[in-house]
Amino acid sequence: MLKSTLPELRCPSRDGRGELCSSELTLEASARVSAEEEVTSGSLQCGRCRKRFPILAGVLILVDDVEGYLVQHVKGIARAVRDEEIPKAYRRSYLEAKSEIEAEHIEEDLESDRVNALYLMNHYLRVASAEVGKEWWRPLQGDASPEMDRLVREYWDRGPFARIRDWSASLPESPTPLRVLEVGCGVGGLAPELAAGLGSRLGKYLGVDGSFASIRIARHLQLGTPYPEGLRIPEDLLQGPVSREVRLALPPNRDGSRDFIVGELQNGAVRSGEWDVAIALNAIDMLDEPEGLPALQWDALRVGGTAIQSCPYIWHEAVAAGLRLRLSEAGVPARDSATAVRWLYENAGLKTVREERHVPWLFFKHVRQMELYSVHLFQSSKQR
């Protein structure tokens, strides 16, 4: 993490009644800080509940249950962190989990190379910038599907990132540079799109995500932090889950205006009421209680601030059932997912300003498999 990010953060721990601590954090004196103000290791401590939050390989882990997080995300952490760097209080359970790491190819595993490779493509690879004869969606050997080639060329560069880049150019004026929070930022590809859309109007950007591996990739590509493993994407699965190396020559952003940390969607870890824009892409259908996402964005925003949300709404049935019940109790007709989620946001005090109900989003799995999603994208304004 960057030292300059510290004032933006708050303690995400909860007490026995489920109340958030939300107190200020301090950097422990033993932390290692580089000449570029990069905190490479150490921890933050809450001044109220005294809980510590580790910084491992430059990644701040700002979650309520630190031990549980280390155990559940051991695959991604183990690639970058030596065992002796894990805090002693959690090392035994961490090592037990490390000994049970399973093989790749589980696409629900947010720490797997394959899952992060899939998001890497969506976030950073573009058709418009692909070299002729070296298109990343075409196989290195063998014939290419003309239909997949057509779909990629027609729809890939027209997804949610492109829409948000265009929308950002017309966000409400502010007397000071805009402060942007993105929850569920993944590997960080929206940050440069926002910079392109906002230009000098972009002040601070902070990306928060639950995946340790994703945050490492985001910090590498955006800030130039080390990532010795190299970046690869799927090609022909005969060669393995991720077999094609990609090189992304992005100029590192070293002015302190961007940073990325590990955090949770259900626990606010940032200052309340001080952000101009709060963005959450393709995340609400992953939550057991989807109403928590608009509540988190509302809490982060200043009055008049902008919330942006997008999702294809791939609900788990139990979550969908709970949402239908809530709509029924409120007397709201449950016509479709887009209507339901708009209601959640408006019920939280976020008035819809504009929306697109069917934005194409391609998810490239490998040279013989691709998924097409129809994404609901909308922008809201905090009213109170």
Side-chain angles (χ1 to χ4, degrees), residues 40-42 54-61 70 77 81 85-87 212:
T40 57
S41 66
I55 302 166
L56 303 173
V59 176
L60 169 64
I61 300 176
L70 294 175
I77 296 169
V81 182
E85 295 179 88
I86 302 298
F212 187 91

Side-chain angles (χ1 to χ4, degrees), residues 253-284:
N253 181 282
R254 300 189 185 278
D255 63 4
S257 64
R258 301 179 199 172
D259 202 2
F260 302 85
I261 67 169
V262 163
E264 299 166 310
L265 293 181
Q266 65 269 34
N267 289 326
V270 300
R271 295 173 67 99
S272 299
E274 296 191 8
W275 299 86
D276 298 291
V277 184
I279 302 174
L281 306 186
N282 309 325
I284 197 168

Side-chain angles (χ1 to χ4, degrees), residues 317-328:
E317 175 52 30
V319 176
L323 183 54
R324 289 195 298 270
L325 177 61
R326 182 162 186 194
L327 290 166
S328 175

Side-chain angles (χ1 to χ4, degrees), residues 166-237:
D166 295 341
W167 282 11
S168 66
S170 60
L171 287 176
E173 292 293 332
S174 171
T176 57
L178 295 175
R179 292 161 49 80
V180 180
L181 172 69
E182 184 182 3
V183 291
C185 68
V187 295
L190 187 60
E193 299 292 341
L194 290 168
L198 288 168
S200 61
R201 297 176 63 206
L202 178 60
K204 178 72 176 183
Y205 166 92
L206 179 63
V208 182
D209 196 85
S211 167
F212 187 91
S214 293
I215 293 297
R216 279 192 70 219
I217 293 173
R219 304 192 86 253
H220 168 65
L221 291 174
Q222 298 294 318
L223 310 181
T225 57
Y227 194 83
E229 297 96 312
L231 299 171
R232 292 180 299 277
I233 63 173
E235 206 241 344
D236 188 325
L237 293 187

Side-chain angles (χ1 to χ4, degrees), residues 59-316:
V59 176
L60 169 64
I61 300 176
L62 194 57
V63 300
D64 179 27
D65 180 7
V66 173
E67 182 173 19
Y69 182 88
L70 294 175
V71 167
Q72 293 168 13
H73 296 261
V74 61
K75 181 184 290 184
I77 296 169
R79 293 193 190 98
V81 182
R82 299 192 306 272
D83 292 344
E84 57 268 26
E85 295 179 88
I86 302 298
K88 290 182 179 179
Y90 314 129
R91 195 174 299 162
R92 180 175 179 179
S93 55
Y94 171 85
L95 292 176
E96 289 176 355
K98 184 179 176 182
S99 68
E100 299 174 359
I101 290 178
E102 295 183 0
E104 279 286 325
H105 219 67
I106 302 174
E107 295 201 356
E108 288 75 24
D109 182 359
L110 297 180
E111 301 297 339
S112 75
D113 285 339
R114 178 170 168 77
V115 168
N116 280 284
L118 298 179
Y119 285 109
L120 179 74
M121 288 186 284
N122 275 101
H123 283 231
Y124 292 100
L125 300 185
R126 298 290 178 264
V127 171
S129 58
E131 295 183 45
V132 176
K134 297 183 179 180
E135 294 93 345
W136 48 264
W137 63 91
R138 296 171 65 90
L140 292 170
Q141 299 179 20
D143 58 341
S145 162
E147 195 62 20
M148 287 185 68
D149 183 73
R150 181 188 69 80
L151 289 170
V152 170
R153 291 183 186 279
E154 185 172 352
Y155 295 111
W156 187 270
D157 289 349
R158 294 171 50 198
F161 278 35
R163 295 293 204 280
I164 293 171
R165 180 193 61 224
D166 295 341
W167 282 11
S168 66
S170 60
L171 287 176
E173 292 293 332
S174 171
T176 57
L178 295 175
R179 292 161 49 80
V180 180
L181 172 69
E182 184 182 3
V183 291
C185 68
V187 295
L190 187 60
E193 299 292 341
L194 290 168
L198 288 168
S200 61
R201 297 176 63 206
L202 178 60
K204 178 72 176 183
Y205 166 92
L206 179 63
V208 182
D209 196 85
S211 167
F212 187 91
S214 293
I215 293 297
R216 279 192 70 219
I217 293 173
R219 304 192 86 253
H220 168 65
L221 291 174
Q222 298 294 318
L223 310 181
T225 57
Y227 194 83
E229 297 96 312
L231 299 171
R232 292 180 299 277
I233 63 173
E235 206 241 344
D236 188 325
L237 293 187
L238 177 66
Q239 310 301 331
V242 286
S243 57
R244 185 169 185 163
E245 186 174 356
V246 291
R247 298 184 182 276
L248 299 171
L250 299 179
N253 181 282
R254 300 189 185 278
D255 63 4
S257 64
R258 301 179 199 172
D259 202 2
F260 302 85
I261 67 169
V262 163
E264 299 166 310
L265 293 181
Q266 65 269 34
N267 289 326
V270 300
R271 295 173 67 99
S272 299
E274 296 191 8
W275 299 86
D276 298 291
V277 184
I279 302 174
L281 306 186
N282 309 325
I284 197 168
D285 58 359
M286 299 173 65
L287 302 176
D288 292 338
E289 298 177 350
E291 65 272 16
L293 185 57
L296 184 149
Q297 290 178 271
W298 182 92
D299 181 69
L301 290 169
R302 61 170 178 78
V303 174
T306 297
I308 296 175
Q309 191 274 156
S310 79
C311 197
Y313 307 131
I314 314 299
W315 302 109
H316 186 283

Side-chain angles (χ1 to χ4, degrees), residues 330-345:
V332 179
R335 292 194 297 272
D336 60 11
S337 291
T339 302
V341 174
R342 269 194 58 175
W343 177 81
L344 287 178
Y345 272 76

